[in-house]
Amino acid sequence: MIACDLGMTVRVPGRKAAGAGLALLSLGCGLAGPAFGQQSGVGLDWKIESGPARFGGVAVRRLELIRGRALELTVEGISGPDGSVLGSLHVACPGRDIGSCRDGRISLQPARGEALSGRIDATPAGVELRSGDATIALDRPARGTGRLRARDVPLDWIPDAWLGRFGIVALSGTLDVVTTIEKDGGRFEFEVSGAGFDTADGRFAAADLALAGSGGFRFQPLAADVGLRWTGGEALLGSLYLAPPESPLTLDAAIASEPDGQWRVGRARLAQGEWLDVRGRSLFDPTGSPWLPEARAEVVALDLQPAWRQGLQSLAAAHGWGRLQPTGGRVEGVLAIRDDRPVSLELQLNGAAVDDPDGRVAVSGLDARVDWDRDPGRLSLTLAWDDAGVYRIPLGAASLALTSTEGSRLALERPFRLPILDGALVVDRFDVDDWRSDAREVMVDAWLVPIDLARLTRILGWTEFGGKLSGRFPGIRYRGNRIDFRGGLEVDLFGGTAEIGALAVERPFGTLPALAAEVDFKALDLEPVTGAFEFGQMQGLMSGYIHDLRLLDWQPVRFDAWFRTLDDSPKRRISQQAVDSLSTLGGGGGAALSGTLLRIFDDFPYKRVGLGCRLENNVCRMRGLEERERGGYLIVEGRGLPRLDVVGYQRRVDWPQLMAQLMAVTGP
């Protein structure tokens, strides 16, 4: 038996140039003899060490390979092609054979986070790594082929440096992969289970994702056929929330590289059940600008109701429309994109129906068509519906058509008539100037065919009163989510009129809608007014105004209101209940005539009545006809016998409290 025990160290200076290698020196001696029945070898102990080096796109700061009692490999400062530091690697094999590693130990220390460790088996036929339940194997089932197998691999093994490029701060789930590589290409299958992620800003997240994919690829030229399936889990992508799919969502595509470095999607299809079928093709350049030189998508089928549940509802909710309930409608169309921008669109919607539990809008039998081409600036839009409603006000069947003209103007092809109860809204002009710009402006000329107020107030749930609502709007302007009305509404009610001018509405169908207006009342007959609101009977004529009116979410937040009876009213009498109601609003409390001799009279003659309120900061500052001693203000000035004056003393009234008092005195 011959023993060899020689030590040697070979140091190789590091070089930054690609392809720098390591010098390897191996010395050994051995003796084979029949007595042993096998070759018995004793090799030299040695150590190879290198400074900074690069292997293709991977760089290392230091590499060390030692053969002593065992075989050990240490690689420090591993960096990816983008320069991100991935960490350090250490492998220890109990044997001394450099060609194999049976039951060895492997550990990876990432740049950030906990170290990963496991066992390794390596032979000329393949390598297998095991850590906990996870297994990664690379083997050669036949000459000229290779196979990668991974099972139960935790996704959080992906280095933080890579996740940080996408803003991901937490990643979970497991990955199974089988990939077979041959000379000209190969095939792959993968499955992701229980995947979840979060970003630092919280705008993107997912939980319990279940994804699967399969396909084939070839090397010359580089191309692939890919099939993906999303079968479970949920995701948040900005304002878009993707609920767990009711049936598998699939994506099939054929991708091939182009000689100029771009990639071509020869075919792609996104499908889910029978309600979604979108097909397309494109050319894209992941590193260039534009990123999408050209693309075409054909919507073969898109049903609104399941699409709403799958994700559209979340987008609508971001604008205050999340409670809408589509019950029908199918979309078909074609979209073309060039240089990252849409250039043409043909879209057809058939048989749509939408309801809003909040009562803001409803429509059924809705058909729509859009035909748009960017380069000539052409747009044609048609809408038609069988039935509709706005804020529970019934609207009849109607249709309209808009067509673009020269000078970037979009206009009605013909006057539009929208039935409203027994009247109608007639639009003679609807022009959109510079409709392709964000600064577009809408101008409308319209008039209102008289509408029965009794039916309208009943539908709105208001106290019912009669009269007619009509008006002319010689110019309505819409710009920046704000509607300004030129002209005004005129309402015939209670024998007099109400004129509404300076009307403006912001965010009419969005969150926190706002309204501004000036309202003037002329010669209202108090007897039907007080009778309608159960205020107590009053006779006479009254005029007044509500100026500087501001509503937020349809609730008053500011106004200056004043109402006064007319001196030339033919009849001027007020009942005990009306006296009590006015006394309550003025801070005098109810039952003003209780305990007095005046309670024996049913009503009283009056000379004049006046009451005002200026609302600001949720407080109403009250005023009357004139000032009285002790800080009071005159509300009712009596005349004749029995003479009765009503004086208010409460100057500042909490608005919710005043509303409660008003509801109390006018309620049943």
Side-chain angles (χ1 to χ4, degrees):
M1 179 178 182
I2 300 176
C4 297
D5 187 9
L6 302 176
M8 181 176 297
T9 298
V10 179
R11 299 183 183 275
V12 181
R15 290 182 292 166
K16 296 184 179 181
L22 300 176
L24 174 62
L25 179 60
S26 177
L27 300 177
C29 57
L31 176 64
F36 296 100
Q38 60 183 6
Q39 180 176 347
S40 207
V42 180
L44 297 175
D45 292 343
W46 43 258
K47 175 180 179 182
I48 298 176
E49 184 178 0
S50 170
R54 180 176 295 275
F55 304 89
V58 179
V60 299
R61 185 178 68 250
R62 176 177 173 272
L63 184 148
E64 182 181 78
L65 180 62
I66 300 176
R67 179 181 178 183
R69 294 184 178 274
L71 192 66
E72 294 188 62
L73 171 67
T74 301
V75 185
E76 298 178 350
I78 305 173
S79 301
D82 59 353
S84 58
V85 179
L86 305 182
S88 300
L89 174 70
H90 180 76
V91 179
C93 299
R96 293 163 54 87
D97 187 357
I98 196 172
S100 65
C101 183
R102 299 285 188 177
D103 197 24
R105 301 289 300 176
I106 182 171
S107 64
L108 173 65
Q109 177 62 61
R112 294 194 304 269
E114 299 181 358
L116 304 175
S117 61
R119 308 196 73 81
I120 180 172
D121 283 318
T123 68
V127 178
E128 183 177 270
L129 307 177
R130 301 180 304 280
S131 177
D133 295 332
T135 302
I136 301 176
L138 179 62
D139 49 43
R140 299 174 59 189
R143 183 177 180 83
T145 65
R147 182 170 60 192
L148 171 66
R149 296 178 287 112
R151 185 172 181 83
D152 294 329
V153 175
L155 293 178
D156 60 7
W157 283 8
I158 298 176
D160 291 345
W162 290 358
L163 298 179
R165 299 178 61 183
F166 303 97
I168 296 176
V169 295
L171 182 65
S172 61
T174 59
L175 172 67
D176 294 347
V177 177
V178 176
T179 300
T180 302
I181 303 175
E182 300 178 348
K183 179 179 179 181
D184 298 327
R187 295 198 58 80
F188 67 89
E189 295 180 4
F190 74 87
E191 184 174 346
V192 176
S193 303
F197 65 84
D198 288 290
T199 57
D201 57 10
R203 295 183 61 244
F204 299 87
D208 297 324
L209 290 180
L211 306 170
S214 62
F217 56 90
R218 64 177 183 272
F219 296 124
Q220 294 296 333
L222 189 58
D225 292 316
V226 181
L228 304 177
R229 288 168 53 90
W230 173 36
T231 57
E234 56 189 338
L236 177 67
L237 308 176
S239 299
L240 176 63
Y241 168 72
L242 297 176
E246 299 175 3
S247 58
L249 178 67
T250 62
L251 173 64
D252 296 292
I255 307 173
S257 63
E258 296 286 309
D260 57 2
Q262 298 184 7
W263 291 82
R264 182 172 298 278
V265 180
R267 58 169 178 82
R269 184 188 183 203
L270 182 68
Q272 186 173 12
E274 296 181 356
W275 68 267
L276 176 65
D277 187 352
V278 180
R279 306 176 188 185
R281 60 180 186 270
S282 69
L283 183 69
F284 69 94
D285 185 350
T287 61
S289 180
W291 181 79
L292 202 61
E294 62 180 60
R296 175 185 171 87
E298 179 182 0
V299 181
V300 178
L302 173 61
D303 290 347
L304 287 185
Q305 189 171 12
W308 182 261
R309 295 192 302 266
Q310 188 67 71
L312 293 182
Q313 184 177 15
S314 62
L315 297 178
H319 300 280
W321 292 92
R323 283 169 53 83
L324 287 182
Q325 296 177 350
T327 56
R330 170 165 281 214
V331 178
E332 299 175 355
V334 178
L335 170 67
I337 296 174
R338 186 181 308 119
D339 296 337
D340 294 342
R341 298 176 59 189
V343 293
S344 67
L345 174 66
E346 296 179 14
L347 204 63
Q348 178 75 45
L349 171 65
N350 295 314
V354 178
D355 190 22
D356 180 12
D358 297 328
R360 291 174 294 179
V361 65
V363 64
S364 62
L366 174 64
D367 295 333
R369 180 173 178 82
V370 178
D371 189 357
W372 167 70
D373 197 321
R374 186 188 70 183
D375 291 338
R378 175 177 54 84
L379 174 63
S380 175
L381 172 65
T382 59
L383 291 171
W385 57 86
D386 297 334
D387 196 14
V390 175
Y391 291 103
R392 297 188 175 90
I393 301 173
L395 308 176
S399 64
L400 64 85
L402 294 167
T403 304
S404 60
T405 62
E406 294 183 1
S408 298
R409 172 173 293 183
L410 189 65
L412 277 174
E413 290 186 1
R414 55 186 177 275
F416 167 65
R417 181 183 177 90
L418 176 64
I420 305 175
L421 298 176
D422 58 334
L425 173 66
V426 180
V427 180
D428 293 322
R429 172 196 175 202
F430 185 95
D431 291 345
V432 184
D433 287 330
D434 201 11
W435 62 270
R436 291 180 292 179
S437 167
D438 292 337
R440 67 183 64 89
E441 182 175 283
V442 181
M443 295 297 298
V444 180
D445 293 342
W447 54 284
L448 196 62
V449 178
I451 298 172
D452 179 26
L453 273 177
R455 186 179 174 190
L456 178 62
T457 53
R458 186 164 58 248
I459 290 172
L460 294 175
W462 300 348
T463 299
E464 185 176 336
F465 52 87
K468 291 288 184 179
L469 174 65
S470 62
R472 284 193 171 273
F473 303 97
I476 303 174
R477 187 178 80 164
Y478 177 79
R479 186 173 186 179
N481 208 18
R482 175 186 171 96
I483 305 175
D484 291 288
F485 295 79
R486 297 177 187 173
L489 285 170
E490 185 172 298
V491 185
D492 298 325
L493 74 165
F494 302 123
T497 61
E499 297 177 353
I500 304 174
L503 182 61
V505 182
E506 296 183 34
R507 303 175 301 277
F509 299 108
T511 56
L512 291 177
L515 178 144
E518 304 284 332
V519 186
D520 289 279
F521 300 91
K522 296 181 180 179
L524 303 185
D525 187 346
L526 281 173
E527 189 166 7
V529 170
T530 55
F533 294 97
E534 300 186 22
F535 186 81
Q537 189 179 49
M538 292 182 66
Q539 293 178 329
L541 300 178
M542 179 187 71
S543 293
Y545 59 79
I546 304 177
H547 288 173
D548 195 25
L549 175 62
R550 298 293 184 271
L551 304 182
L552 186 62
D553 201 17
W554 310 118
Q555 298 298 318
V557 294
R558 188 175 74 206
F559 61 73
D560 180 18
W562 171 253
F563 296 93
R564 186 184 188 282
T565 56
L566 303 183
D567 294 337
D568 58 353
S569 299
K571 296 180 181 180
R572 281 175 282 173
R573 298 193 70 85
I574 183 170
S575 70
Q576 285 199 32
Q577 182 183 352
V579 169
D580 285 339
S581 297
L582 288 172
S583 179
T584 298
L585 295 180
L593 303 181
S594 298
T596 72
L597 292 176
L598 294 176
R599 72 180 184 277
I600 65 176
F601 296 94
D602 293 330
D603 55 33
F604 307 89
Y606 69 86
K607 181 179 180 181
R608 53 183 180 151
V609 176
L611 184 64
C613 165
R614 180 185 291 274
L615 175 65
E616 196 163 4
N617 296 325
N618 225 25
V619 174
C620 212
R621 296 183 60 88
M622 309 295 294
R623 65 184 187 276
L625 293 165
E626 59 185 49
E627 299 298 315
R628 286 296 175 92
E629 59 185 16
R630 292 184 298 165
Y633 52 92
L634 182 65
I635 298 175
V636 178
E637 181 181 2
R639 66 180 175 88
L641 293 175
R643 180 184 174 91
L644 174 69
D645 291 344
V646 178
V647 178
Y649 290 96
Q650 193 168 355
R651 292 285 187 174
R652 294 170 57 87
V653 180
D654 179 76
W655 175 250
Q657 178 184 346
L658 181 62
M659 285 291 94
Q661 292 174 343
L662 187 59
M663 293 296 294
V665 300
T666 60

